[in-house]
Amino acid sequence: MAVSKVSQREIIEVPYQLPDGTIKPHMALVLSTEKLLSAEDGMFYAVFISSKNLNPEFTMEIRNEWLSKPLSKQSHFVTHIVSYYRTDEVIQSFNNYVKKAFFDPILNKVILSMFDIEIE
């Protein structure tokens, strides 16, 4: 079931294509601002969330105190896997958000992982 709207810092489920070509639902964190969502008719960027920590240099453990609701199992932001989606591709929303105080460090880790620079 598609959702009509997503918000920055929201945890959602999207169809993620694995390296072998199969597509599986996975959780992701919306990175994009409302400005981009509006200007591009629902397009947004999201960072992949996984329960596996396969490449620790590019992951960030998710702590339950960062979230409005705890996750059911230990998970990680996979900070080098960022994809774009449209709101009509979202499988479901969990009504779960990263608290504002913890979002910037996550975003900085994404930028550092992808571009090897830190934003102050």
Side-chain angles (χ1 to χ4, degrees), residues 13-108:
E13 187 175 59
V14 290
Y16 178 74
Q17 184 170 351
L18 299 171
D20 67 3
T22 60
I23 297 175
K24 291 191 172 185
H26 266 281
M27 292 191 334
L29 172 67
V30 176
L31 300 174
S32 298
T33 63
E34 185 66 38
K35 184 177 180 180
L36 177 63
L37 284 156
S38 296
E40 289 295 331
D41 195 28
M43 186 190 98
F44 65 94
Y45 289 90
V47 65
F48 185 68
I49 294 174
S50 177
S51 59
K52 297 181 177 130
N53 189 13
L54 298 176
N55 199 338
E57 179 182 359
F58 299 112
T59 62
M60 187 175 202
E61 183 178 339
I62 301 172
R63 299 176 190 259
N64 282 330
E65 61 266 20
W66 295 357
L67 308 175
S68 56
K69 295 190 282 192
L71 298 177
S72 60
K73 58 183 170 180
Q74 181 57 58
S75 298
H76 300 81
F77 295 115
V78 184
T79 58
H80 66 294
I81 301 179
V82 174
S83 298
Y84 74 90
Y85 296 93
R86 299 187 59 80
T87 52
D88 60 4
E89 295 178 279
V90 176
I91 297 166
Q92 69 175 313
S93 171
F94 300 102
N95 197 29
N96 195 0
Y97 296 82
V98 169
K99 295 174 184 172
K100 191 171 176 72
F102 300 105
F103 183 72
D104 284 347
I106 296 163
L107 189 57
N108 278 329

